[in-house]
Amino acid sequence: MDILSRDFVAHPLDTLALRADLALALRAAAHHGLEEGVCNHFSMLIPDGSDRFLINPRGLHWSEIDADDIVMVDGDGKRLAGRHEVETTAMFIHAAVHRIAGKACVLHTHMPYATALTLTSRRMLDTTLSQSAMRFHGRVATDGKYNGLALSPAEGERIARAMNGADIAFLGNHGVVVCGERIDYAYEDLYFVERACEAEVLARSTGLPLEPVAPEMAQFVADQTAGERLQSTLFFEALRRMLPPPRR
């Protein structure tokens, strides 16, 4: 056995299900067209009070990732288990968001419609437009300061602080970070962020005036959605049936 895989065996209860779910989320993102080459990362903090977290490896397309491909690292980026390497930028962003923003599940993508809105002067989704957008009312932050690739701990920490506790952060000229307490909750949010951004981009492309709802109505819908998180689990389980692990 690879010495870097022993920790997965030593701690089966806190890694096995999480690794499988994280791999499923990555395959689902590829299925839904949210990936970009072999870039971007999903991570999940191991809920044992340590700073260890799971993350997808460098160099694998999301569609081919299985639970065995997931890597365990500590808060300093040291690989503790897994047979693959981890990309440097992933460590700087994800370690900081886990540590500083206090987020358990961190999903970072350059998905097309959400990223398109980060290129505009508004920098983010309008949460008073579509019903899908309203579910995120009061949960979104924007970071309009683009500093190039996140190749230092300082840049990851800056992004984490710019989130200011929000679940969703639109990073100017870059992409998005979607966070949650559980993988199924975070993945459904990621999916609907992109669908909401797609609807907004399409609506704006018509050139017709937009008709937002009142902020109070958007908050009402956000509260309604927060009380229906069973839908997130049902969606994730449907994806589990649809997208089995790849054959090796």
Side-chain angles (χ1 to χ4, degrees), residues 129-151:
L129 290 175
S130 69
Q131 179 173 281
S132 292
M134 293 176 209
R135 66 184 282 150
F136 304 112
H137 193 74
R139 300 176 58 202
V140 179
T142 183
D143 171 22
K145 185 178 181 181
Y146 179 68
N147 280 339
L149 300 181
L151 294 177

Side-chain angles (χ1 to χ4, degrees), residues 75-94:
D76 295 323
K78 179 182 178 182
R79 183 168 48 130
L80 303 175
R83 62 180 181 270
H84 302 291
E85 298 296 329
V86 179
E87 187 181 359
T88 304
T89 57
M91 283 308 311
F92 291 140
I93 293 175
H94 287 255

Side-chain angles (χ1 to χ4, degrees), residues 1-246:
M1 181 187 300
D2 186 337
I3 190 171
L4 290 174
S5 298
R6 290 178 184 170
D7 201 56
F8 281 150
V9 177
H11 302 277
L13 295 180
D14 65 8
T15 63
L16 185 58
L18 290 178
R19 286 158 56 205
D21 283 355
L22 196 60
L24 172 59
L26 290 155
R27 295 196 304 275
H31 175 74
H32 289 131
L34 310 182
E35 89 289 5
E36 185 171 65
V38 294
C39 302
N40 304 158
H41 299 84
F42 290 2
S43 64
M44 181 69 198
L45 195 66
I46 295 175
D48 63 355
S50 72
D51 61 358
R52 300 181 304 159
F53 62 91
L54 305 172
I55 194 165
N56 53 299
R58 183 175 191 175
L60 295 185
H61 191 268
W62 291 4
S63 64
E64 63 178 328
I65 292 179
D66 195 358
D68 290 343
D69 297 310
I70 300 298
V71 181
M72 181 193 293
V73 297
D74 66 17
D76 295 323
K78 179 182 178 182
R79 183 168 48 130
L80 303 175
R83 62 180 181 270
H84 302 291
E85 298 296 329
V86 179
E87 187 181 359
T88 304
T89 57
M91 283 308 311
F92 291 140
I93 293 175
H94 287 255
V97 175
H98 284 302
R99 184 179 74 257
I100 295 172
K103 302 299 184 180
C105 183
V106 180
L107 312 182
H108 172 47
T109 76
H110 299 167
M111 52 193 188
Y113 288 98
T115 301
L117 291 182
T118 73
L119 312 182
T120 68
S121 59
R122 195 172 190 278
R123 294 296 202 187
M124 62 187 292
L125 174 72
D126 187 336
T127 58
T128 64
L129 290 175
S130 69
Q131 179 173 281
S132 292
M134 293 176 209
R135 66 184 282 150
F136 304 112
H137 193 74
R139 300 176 58 202
V140 179
T142 183
D143 171 22
K145 185 178 181 181
Y146 179 68
N147 280 339
L149 300 181
L151 294 177
S152 72
E155 179 61 9
E157 291 169 3
R158 188 195 65 77
I159 290 172
R161 292 192 175 95
M163 293 177 66
N164 197 29
D167 294 327
I168 297 99
F170 283 76
L171 311 179
N173 307 98
H174 183 175
V176 294
V177 177
V178 175
C179 303
E181 59 188 90
R182 294 168 37 159
I183 296 174
D184 53 353
Y185 290 9
Y187 186 76
E188 193 198 33
D189 280 351
L190 183 81
Y191 174 82
F192 277 106
V193 164
E194 181 67 351
R195 292 300 296 267
C197 291
E198 179 180 10
E200 181 173 338
V201 169
L202 291 174
R204 292 187 183 282
S205 73
T206 68
L208 298 172
L210 301 181
E211 293 289 343
V213 303
E216 295 79 11
M217 177 55 69
Q219 187 60 59
F220 176 67
V221 174
D223 294 341
Q224 286 182 311
T225 306
E228 292 288 337
R229 293 311 306 220
L230 175 60
Q231 197 74 358
S232 305
T233 301
L234 295 174
F235 179 45
F236 204 66
E237 291 308 310
L239 293 171
R240 197 186 306 279
R241 294 189 296 272
M242 292 168 56
L243 302 170

